[in-house]
Amino acid sequence: MGRKPMSGNDTTSSVHPEFGSGAGERPKRTFRSVYADRLPLWVFIGASVGIAIGLFFGDDAKLLRPVGAAYAMAMQIVVFPYIICSLLHGLGQLTPAIAAKLLRSSWAVYLVMWGATFFVILVMSTAIPLPPSPTFIDFTVPERSLDVLPLLIPADPFASLVQNSVPAIVVFSVLFGVAIQRVEQKQSLLQALDTIRKASVTIWGWVVMLAPIGVMALFADTAGTVRPDAAAQLSLYLVVFLCGTFFLAFWVLPSLIAAVCPITPLAVVRLVRDGLVIAMVTTLSVAALPFIQKAAERFCEEVSINDENRSEIARTTLAVAYPLAQLGNFFVLLFIVFGTSFFDAPLGWVQHAMMPLFTLLSGIGSPSSSIDTVNFLSHWVGLPGIATQLYIETMTVTRYGQVAASVMGFTFIVFVVILNYYGKLKISLPKLGLSVAVTIVVLGALSTAGSVIGKTIAVGDRSDFDRMTLGAELTDGVSVKVLAASAAPAGGPATGPSQTSSAPSHATALERIRHSGELRVGYNPDVVPFSFRNENGELVGFDIAHAYRLARDLNVALTLVPIEVETFLQDTLDGRYDVVAAAVYATTKRASLYGMSDPYFQSPIALIAQADQAEKWMSREDVAATDDLTIAVLDTAAMKEIAASLFPNATIVPLDNYGEMIQRSEIDATLTSLAEARAFARSQPALTAVVPRGLGGSFLFAYVTSPDNEELVDTLNYWLRLQHVSGFHARMVDDWINGYAPLGDGSPRWSIARNVLGWGERSDTP
């Protein structure tokens, strides 16, 4: 079919040579035009070089991260100017009658596209296993509310710009665009808006020419720093996400377009092939906009639409589609579903019902706004703050599917709205039936396969404390001796270098540590998640990680000495340990008799209860009202006293360990700290940690030493403040208390340079 020349006011003709779309006359073949024609090839070469750099240099490839980040930021420089000016110009130049007709032609198309997208997402989400029961419920936390009005109503447009609130900016632009339609003297304004819009496209053209360099840096950083174990742990989510986005992009949307016009799904993809390639390799959907504008022109010729206003109709539709058809953003719903399983935070039925709507409202905008969407939705459903960081890490893989879905979303809106606007939309029932049938069959097969695989993949392995280890960043360079119970004397100082210390007899504990080069820390191997042995017999945990850190900061060796629960306080007075770090509860009585640091952690009072009876323990009054109430506690005087004061009418049962609760059916619940309750409940799916309302304050954990070690206590307090300021304490809380173990062990990632050629290896490495 022959092609008509583009009209003079079509901005895509001005950017055509830069993007190499293949249309129009080229009287002169310059280096720039040849380079532009082969830009996808150069981009793939850049990606291949980037992968090779990442594999060769490993973690050192992160040096290229600023280059990739600069390229990505450059592509987003003109997003808001383009959106605002395109909407204001596109809507403002229309007459009210044409605008109303365009609205009538568009709203149903958007509903169909959104409906198809969320159908794919919801079906694919069934492949992700849900947690059988929550590991903990905190009834003291008020129900979370979700305020969507600031997302949609731009009370302060400038604040919306600062906050990257694209939905509000779109509403602002649409309102003003419609208002401009009724202004008589508007040509100068429209001309200025059109100039800025064209300049935005021109800037994109310049930046896209740098795509090979930017893509090389992005791929080098990704290939060099993404850890294989991270990909393995998140494999189910990654596969489900990519299958869903690619199936939506390359079958569902093209087949629906083909069902309403005389064109095949493959032909639809071919029309926007160049835009898809550029957008996917740069992972920026905005890069496809000029290509889709050009494809819309060719599509109009294919379906015999020759109206002189078709370019403006297509351009206006595309401007509106950019924020509203970012279909890849809506797939954050898959991440939220995955997060509820990964972080043991199941959704309530209200959250299940409202999640698609809130995802739609918060997901409108540019691709970068999907991070804000995850923040927004995670807070609502109760996922931890680390969930957003996990989403950002997975974007190194998922962003390709995300961009593909968004680009095809733009294409779907532009093509179908044009057809509907010009009365060319004719539904072919056989094609539509084929599209729906194939979609249902394939989605059913994918979700079924995912469900089967999901049962064999432990999505929640990262909350399995038995598999957790101390990272190399903690252990490297620290000399450690772990004494077993049989190796430690029943009383008196522990054996070790300290007995031959050159420190004078009147030396303080801190002076003895410095002179001997040894720090003796008392530990309890049975207090998950503070100190315990993993499946490999290694002593790990929150307190153990801090002990390694303290020894490193003091530049001394670390000796870990097991405590006797019944006598550890007296043993501390006798000098058996310098510091006891064994999840010791800080009490007023203990603080008056022993040296005690400031609290380094606090955890609410909680109960371990049967998961199917968790609703019985909403408040202290509900617990106390239980007939023949039996509360279990660990066999310590402090815990018995706390239980008796909270529940004076209950039968208090002492336990040697929490595992006894499972064998003793008369026990209604076990009283402990939330940190310990959550850790135990993770290993027992039938149990849940519950924080009832009205139980009072929290357990405070502190380090214990001899009462005459004031200098050591002051040092510990100062050191603890440093750990809070540096962020180390927060990372350890996420890793050990919340059970979000780090991805990898902190050691350098495998690379050819380091592991094959030996570059960068230290000669003194043990």
Side-chain angles (χ1 to χ4, degrees), residues 589-603:
K589 181 178 179 180
R590 288 176 176 176
S592 66
L593 297 175
Y594 311 98
M596 187 167 288
S597 72
D598 293 337
Y600 62 85
F601 184 72
Q602 68 176 35
S603 183

Side-chain angles (χ1 to χ4, degrees), residues 106 109-110 113 317 321 325 408-418:
S106 303
V109 179
Y110 277 100
M113 180 189 66
T317 302
M408 292 309 298
F410 306 154
T411 304
F412 179 85
I413 289 296
V414 173
F415 284 15
V416 179
V417 167
I418 287 176

Side-chain angles (χ1 to χ4, degrees), residues 222-223 225-242 338 342 390 393-398 453 457-459 461-462 741-744 749:
T222 299
T225 59
V226 172
R227 312 196 71 83
D229 53 348
Q233 290 169 335
L234 302 171
S235 58
L236 180 62
Y237 162 68
L238 297 176
V239 170
V240 169
F241 192 104
L242 292 177
F338 167 75
F342 196 77
L390 181 62
E393 292 174 2
T394 60
M395 281 185 71
T396 56
V397 176
T398 60
I453 296 173
I457 295 179
V459 178
D461 274 352
R462 293 176 63 189
L743 298 178
R749 189 190 188 281

Side-chain angles (χ1 to χ4, degrees), residues 118-423:
F118 280 101
F119 177 75
V120 172
I121 294 172
L122 293 176
V123 173
M124 293 301 295
S125 69
T126 61
I128 299 175
L130 297 177
S133 62
T135 55
F136 86 100
I137 302 175
D138 190 348
F139 289 112
T140 66
V141 177
E143 185 175 352
R144 296 175 179 86
S145 60
L146 200 58
D147 188 6
V148 298
L149 290 180
L151 286 174
L152 302 175
I153 301 178
D156 184 349
F158 297 102
S160 297
L161 282 170
V162 172
Q163 298 167 5
N164 196 29
S165 181
V166 179
I169 295 302
V170 171
V171 172
F172 166 84
S173 302
V174 169
L175 287 175
F176 272 80
V178 173
I180 291 173
Q181 294 174 4
R182 291 162 172 77
V183 176
E184 294 183 1
Q185 302 298 326
K186 59 183 179 181
Q187 293 305 316
S188 297
L189 174 61
L190 292 177
Q191 185 176 4
L193 293 172
D194 192 40
T195 299
I196 297 175
R197 180 177 60 80
K198 291 178 180 179
S200 299
V201 176
T202 300
I203 293 173
W204 273 329
W206 295 342
V207 176
V208 167
M209 297 294 283
L210 301 175
I213 298 174
V215 170
M216 180 197 68
L218 290 169
F219 273 66
D221 181 33
T222 299
T225 59
V226 172
R227 312 196 71 83
D229 53 348
Q233 290 169 335
L234 302 171
S235 58
L236 180 62
Y237 162 68
L238 297 176
V239 170
V240 169
F241 192 104
L242 292 177
C243 286
T245 50
F246 286 141
F247 183 64
L248 175 71
F250 296 110
W251 170 254
V252 177
L253 296 180
S255 66
L256 288 177
I257 294 175
V260 295
C261 66
I263 194 172
T264 65
L266 182 59
V268 173
V269 175
R270 284 176 175 170
L271 281 173
V272 292
R273 178 184 57 195
D274 291 345
L276 268 171
V277 170
I278 289 294
M280 289 184 64
V281 296
T282 60
T283 68
L284 295 167
S285 60
V286 70
L289 295 181
F291 296 93
I292 296 175
Q293 174 70 31
K294 178 65 66 176
E297 289 287 332
R298 294 158 64 185
F299 177 75
C300 287
E301 294 176 359
E302 293 286 345
V303 295
S304 302
I305 295 175
N306 300 312
D307 182 63
E308 62 180 8
N309 292 322
R310 68 184 189 185
S311 294
E312 290 302 330
I313 296 298
R315 187 178 296 112
T316 302
T317 302
L318 184 58
V320 176
Y322 179 75
L324 299 183
Q326 293 279 358
L327 304 186
N329 286 14
F330 303 146
F331 277 79
V332 300
L333 177 57
L334 273 181
F335 176 81
I336 297 299
V337 173
F338 167 75
T340 62
S341 177
F342 196 77
F343 297 107
D344 297 316
L347 298 176
W349 69 269
V350 174
Q351 293 171 321
H352 269 296
M354 300 302 295
M355 185 61 67
L357 175 61
F358 287 149
T359 302
L360 174 63
L361 294 177
S362 60
I364 293 173
S366 63
S368 60
S369 65
S370 67
I371 298 175
D372 297 324
T373 303
V374 172
N375 261 327
F376 185 64
L377 296 176
S378 294
H379 173 74
W380 180 49
V381 302
L383 297 183
I386 196 175
T388 301
Q389 180 60 36
L390 181 62
Y391 175 76
I392 294 173
E393 292 174 2
T394 60
M395 281 185 71
T396 56
V397 176
T398 60
R399 59 190 180 189
Y400 300 103
Q402 183 180 4
V403 168
S406 293
V407 171
M408 292 309 298
F410 306 154
T411 304
F412 179 85
I413 289 296
V414 173
F415 284 15
V416 179
V417 167
I418 287 176
L419 286 173
N420 202 23
Y421 182 87
Y422 287 105

Side-chain angles (χ1 to χ4, degrees), residues 650-728:
T651 300
I652 308 301
V653 177
L655 302 175
D656 291 331
N657 58 71
Y658 296 125
E660 291 185 27
M661 175 187 176
I662 301 173
Q663 283 79 37
R664 302 183 62 171
S665 59
E666 77 275 14
I667 296 175
D668 293 302
T670 298
L671 184 71
T672 182
S673 69
L674 177 60
E676 295 168 273
R678 287 181 64 183
F680 184 71
R682 280 195 179 94
S683 64
Q684 303 293 332
L687 300 178
T688 295
V690 181
V691 182
R693 294 188 294 270
L695 284 190
S698 300
F699 288 109
L700 301 178
F701 297 82
Y703 299 137
V704 176
T705 185
S706 298
D708 57 348
N709 288 341
E710 294 182 4
E711 184 183 17
L712 178 58
V713 171
D714 290 341
T715 300
L716 287 172
N717 290 339
Y718 180 72
W719 177 80
L720 287 171
R721 288 193 291 271
L722 289 179
Q723 306 319 302
H724 280 273
V725 172
S726 68
F728 176 80

